[in-house]
Amino acid sequence: MHLLNLGILAHVDAGKTSLTERLLHSVGVIDEIGSVDAGNTQTDSLALERQRGITIKSAVVSFALDDVTVNLIDTPGHPDFIAEVERVLGVLDGAVLVVSAVEGVQPQTRVLMRTLQRLRIPTLVFVNKIDRRGADCDAVLRAVSERLTPAVVPMGTADALGTREAGFVPGLAPSAIDVLADHDDGLLTAYVEGTVSYDDLRAALAGQTRQALVHPVYFGSAVTGAGVGALIDGIRELLPAADGEPDGPVSGTVFKVERGSAGEKVAYARMFSGTLRTRDRIPFGAPGAWDKGVDRTEGRVTAVSVFDQGTDVRDDQVTAGRIAKLWGLADIRIGDAIGEPRKAFGYCFAPPTLESIVAPADGTDRRALHRALTRLAEQDPLIDLRHDEVRQETFVSLYGEVQKEVIQATLAADFGLDVTFRETTPLCVERPVGSGGAVEFNKKDGNPFLATVGLRVDPAPVGSGVEFRLEVELGSMPYAFFKAVEDTVRETLGQGLYGWQIPDCAITMTHSGYSPRQSHAHQGFDKSMSSTGYDFRGLTPLVLIEALRAAGTRVHEPMHRFRVEVPTDTLAALLPVLARLRAVPQTTETRGDSCSLEGSVPAAHVHELEQQLPGLTRGEGELESAFDHYAPAVRGAEPERRRTDLNPLNRKEYLLNLTRRVGS
């Protein structure tokens, strides 16, 4: 039996979850179709999902289509939960992109389609809601061709649009031969010679769809079931089966982690090769880290569930191509490779660029709140937590305002914790302006630590990360001390001169020294006379901050690439607002009564632009935005971020805080 791991993707409210329900009903997995409005759908299991009518967490459900077993993954559509979509993309064999026949191509639709094309994931397009008033399939098809991809092949036509009788009439459009011949010289020759048969067209369509060269388009309604049968046929015939050797080396990827009823971690994993059995001891970890020589973590699989006939069922093994739930791997994280790492699946979407403080209500246990937030961060590695021990405050990184509501409701429902959020601020970064160095010598010039550390900071290209180098001999002191310096350097770079992370730079250790192990006769180790890791961990932040001061840093704010499409006669009202929000239009294109602008805008002002656009454009304006790059902040006072470390900027305060921490 063939396997197919299929993703359902779309802009919010396009009908993904409703289509999932219809598919499951059509193949006999469920007897009654759930309703998003009623909150009784198969895949929206979270209370908040049922309450709000949106998908927040990806869900997996399985069904059979003749000789094909499909693992169907329903994914979120709201931009605030794009990290969920991102993780699913790495395990898909094919996708269905849902577009509303009423609202048409939306900004998030374009983001998803660009990503699917970049990853070359075979994709079918389903134009949903043809039974709704205002449905216009011709306009949507033109928008798909113009704004998503011209390589589309309509698989039929829709009739009785906007009524409950709306239906789908299968049949390849005449334009199919033109699209398919663009990628097949043999088909083009046969077309010119007039020898192309229908079977030739279907074979070319299947082959090119599986290579993600063309995208078949279906029209229908998840509510009435129109066109869904044709879509099911397309899923079975046009999308590729999962590959992988069951007898090969074990290799898989974790794309979701949740907690079981007893609080244990449960990992959702796609197996790409081999067979993983209960009681197997298996290595796992971040693939990129393994390449750098980081030790693997090992764990024993205590239980396995595979997906079958609409639910997950216990089994003693999971083979290549399948998706499973795994128990027993206590330290597993989303994105970890299981067994032999395959080619690392890079992030398709940018990390969050906003941050807010989670404020507990009166009577809420702060420690319980921190534990709960840590557990939520386990399930989403792109959510970063910072804890200020002095002020007892926790900062959380975010994608948008809706995510705040979800975290707030989840903390209340799952943990019984009442919280609010303070104002959202952008997450900036710092970059070194030049090169600078500093050194402190063992037992000299007021250095209270038994260690010599010298460091030089140099700028590095954007995206290169932090590189730690040595200009001293590795054998000049114990390796553990070098490791203590490197680990502390990486930790300290989380908060630069202005409190922001320094993501890209080269740090070179220029001086090293230590006090060898000392002991008195007939006595044990004398810590007051011998260097320890504590000395190097304590001294390194002071030296690194001085090196950064000598180099200088500049704060860079996150910038979004934006595209707005508005009526031409509203442009005069929009431009002054864009200027006030420090948006910089770079290209302008006018098509009839519509005008589109593309440019960049600070992430801090995207939400305000979203709020003002409808009023400025009579509700007709459409905004698409996504993180693009970091740019130097406006000249003047550099924006600062409240520190949550021991503050090595102030030597006296740092040493006092360090003493307190050690004492506690």
Side-chain angles (χ1 to χ4, degrees):
M1 178 175 280
H2 295 302
L3 292 168
L4 170 64
N5 296 299
L6 178 71
I8 304 286
L9 301 96
H11 190 276
V12 66
D13 287 337
K16 300 179 312 303
T17 303
S18 298
L19 178 59
T20 300
E21 292 289 307
R22 174 60 66 177
L23 287 171
L24 296 178
H25 181 266
S26 298
V27 298
V29 172
I30 57 177
D31 296 326
E32 185 177 348
I33 297 176
S35 166
V36 174
D37 293 334
N40 59 355
T41 57
Q42 181 83 0
T43 53
D44 284 346
S45 57
L46 298 181
L48 189 62
E49 292 178 312
R50 299 182 185 277
Q51 175 186 335
R52 292 191 58 120
I54 61 174
T55 302
I56 296 168
K57 294 291 183 183
S58 57
V60 183
V61 67
S62 180
F63 60 86
L65 292 178
D66 296 335
D67 62 341
V68 179
T69 296
V70 178
N71 289 322
L72 184 63
I73 306 175
D74 183 28
T75 61
H78 198 285
D80 282 11
F81 310 109
I82 199 66
E84 279 289 321
V85 181
E86 173 185 310
R87 291 192 286 270
V88 170
L89 292 178
V91 305
L92 297 183
D93 303 306
V96 174
L97 181 64
V98 185
V99 182
S100 168
V102 180
E103 290 85 10
V105 174
Q106 298 292 302
Q108 190 69 3
T109 319
R110 299 186 66 190
V111 172
L112 292 169
M113 188 55 149
R114 282 199 300 266
T115 307
L116 290 165
Q117 289 179 311
R118 184 169 63 248
L119 297 174
R120 301 193 66 79
I121 296 175
T123 303
L124 310 181
V125 178
F126 184 73
V127 180
N128 192 26
K129 302 184 181 181
I130 64 172
D131 59 317
R132 296 284 185 88
R133 181 179 299 177
D136 189 339
C137 290
D138 290 339
V140 172
L141 189 59
R142 284 195 302 271
V144 169
S145 298
E146 293 172 1
R147 303 181 61 189
L148 298 184
T149 172
V152 293
V153 178
M155 300 300 291
T157 57
D159 57 14
L161 292 176
T163 70
R164 295 287 293 183
E165 289 72 37
F168 178 69
V169 182
L172 278 178
S175 61
I177 183 64
D178 298 323
V179 176
L180 295 171
D182 282 344
H183 307 285
D184 188 332
D185 292 340
L187 187 65
L188 177 60
T189 301
Y191 174 55
V192 172
E193 296 174 350
T195 59
V196 177
S197 67
Y198 178 78
D199 290 342
D200 293 334
L201 286 179
R202 293 293 300 192
L205 177 65
Q208 293 186 29
T209 301
R210 289 167 184 162
Q211 297 177 62
L213 296 175
V214 301
H215 305 283
V217 180
Y218 298 84
F219 304 96
S221 168
V223 173
T224 67
V228 174
L231 176 65
I232 290 174
D233 291 339
I235 291 171
R236 182 178 62 247
E237 298 170 8
L238 302 179
L239 294 179
D243 56 5
E245 290 295 330
D247 297 329
V250 173
S251 178
T253 298
V254 175
F255 66 94
K256 179 179 179 178
V257 173
E258 63 183 16
R259 291 278 179 171
S261 57
E264 77 281 13
K265 275 190 180 180
V266 182
Y268 286 67
R270 157 75 190 267
M271 300 305 298
F272 292 96
S273 173
T275 299
L276 183 62
R277 297 176 175 84
T278 305
R279 294 183 294 279
D280 278 356
R281 190 165 185 83
I282 193 75
F284 59 87
W290 294 5
D291 296 337
K292 298 176 183 177
V294 177
D295 291 338
R296 302 180 181 190
T297 302
E298 286 195 355
R300 188 180 300 280
V301 177
T302 59
V304 172
S305 281
V306 296
F307 289 90
D308 188 30
Q309 289 301 307
T311 185
D312 59 292
V313 294
R314 287 298 176 101
D315 203 336
D316 59 359
Q317 65 180 28
V318 53
T319 56
R322 302 202 74 166
I323 290 176
K325 294 167 68 174
L326 307 176
W327 281 260
L329 306 178
D331 297 322
I332 199 80
R333 288 182 59 83
I334 293 171
D336 280 356
I338 297 175
E340 290 194 7
R342 59 196 291 267
K343 183 180 180 182
F345 175 69
Y347 286 134
C348 306
F349 302 98
T353 56
L354 301 173
E355 183 178 64
S356 182
I357 296 176
V358 185
D362 292 340
T364 298
D365 188 334
R366 292 180 180 272
R367 292 186 178 180
L369 173 59
H370 186 65
R371 288 195 298 269
L373 287 170
T374 301
R375 180 171 290 190
L376 292 182
E378 284 179 355
Q379 300 173 19
D380 191 341
L382 295 184
I383 291 181
D384 185 38
L385 297 178
R386 293 195 308 133
H387 186 63
D388 186 337
E389 294 184 1
V390 176
R391 300 176 180 84
Q392 288 296 298
E393 292 178 338
T394 300
F395 299 75
V396 59
S397 59
L398 302 162
Y399 280 103
E401 297 299 318
V402 173
Q403 197 175 11
K404 277 187 185 179
E405 300 177 36
V406 171
I407 293 176
Q408 183 180 31
T410 303
L411 289 172
D414 295 353
F415 301 95
L417 301 173
D418 186 13
V419 303
T420 58
F421 282 85
R422 297 183 188 168
E423 182 183 3
T424 303
T425 56
L427 275 171
C428 301
V429 299
E430 288 183 54
R431 301 197 186 281
V433 175
S435 299
V439 60
E440 294 211 22
F441 293 97
N442 189 346
K443 302 179 182 177
K444 292 184 179 179
D445 301 323
N447 175 9
F449 301 101
L450 297 178
T452 294
V453 174
L455 298 171
R456 186 178 69 247
V457 175
D458 295 298
V462 174
S464 62
V466 175
E467 182 182 2
F468 185 77
R469 308 167 178 166
L470 294 179
E471 278 187 1
V472 295
E473 291 196 14
L474 190 58
S476 62
M477 64 180 188
Y479 173 74
F481 294 160
F482 285 111
K483 188 69 167 61
V485 172
E486 180 179 356
D487 290 346
T488 307
V489 161
R490 296 185 183 277
E491 180 182 350
T492 304
L493 289 173
Q495 300 182 65
L497 300 180
Y498 299 99
W500 306 102
Q501 181 187 13
I502 301 177
D504 306 302
C505 65
I507 306 295
T508 304
M509 189 169 185
T510 58
H511 297 75
S512 66
Y514 74 109
S515 296
R517 184 181 181 92
Q518 302 286 334
S519 60
H520 300 290
H522 309 297
Q523 294 182 7
F525 170 56
D526 189 346
K527 189 162 58 175
S528 67
M529 301 171 59
S530 311
S531 297
T532 65
Y534 163 82
D535 293 295
F536 288 90
R537 288 190 295 271
L539 180 60
T540 297
L542 293 174
V543 177
L544 181 56
I545 286 295
E546 287 306 312
L548 286 170
R549 278 189 171 128
T553 65
R554 181 84 190 275
V555 177
H556 288 59
E557 63 180 335
M559 302 293 292
H560 278 227
R561 180 184 64 258
F562 79 89
R563 180 182 183 276
V564 292
E565 188 161 328
V566 300
T568 304
D569 61 353
T570 65
L571 194 58
L574 177 62
L575 289 176
V577 175
L578 291 177
R580 181 174 60 80
L581 298 178
R582 294 198 288 119
V584 181
Q586 294 164 343
T587 62
T588 305
E589 181 181 355
T590 302
R591 294 193 304 271
D593 296 334
S594 178
C595 179
S596 64
L597 283 77
E598 295 188 17
S600 60
V601 61
H605 299 313
V606 170
H607 185 57
E608 185 176 352
L609 180 56
E610 288 174 340
Q611 291 180 316
Q612 295 205 25
L613 189 63
L616 295 168
T617 61
R618 302 189 298 271
E620 299 179 43
E622 182 180 296
L623 171 67
E624 174 187 348
S625 74
F627 171 79
D628 188 59
H629 67 285
Y630 289 94
V634 176
R635 287 288 184 181
E638 297 279 357
E640 294 192 30
R641 185 192 199 192
R642 185 189 301 173
R643 305 192 73 87
T644 57
D645 59 7
L646 302 181
N647 192 20
L649 291 172
N650 184 317
R651 187 183 186 92
K652 182 177 179 180
E653 180 182 343
Y654 171 80
L655 293 174
L656 181 60
N657 288 335
L658 184 63
T659 302
R660 288 172 176 167
R661 173 177 287 184
V662 173
S664 63

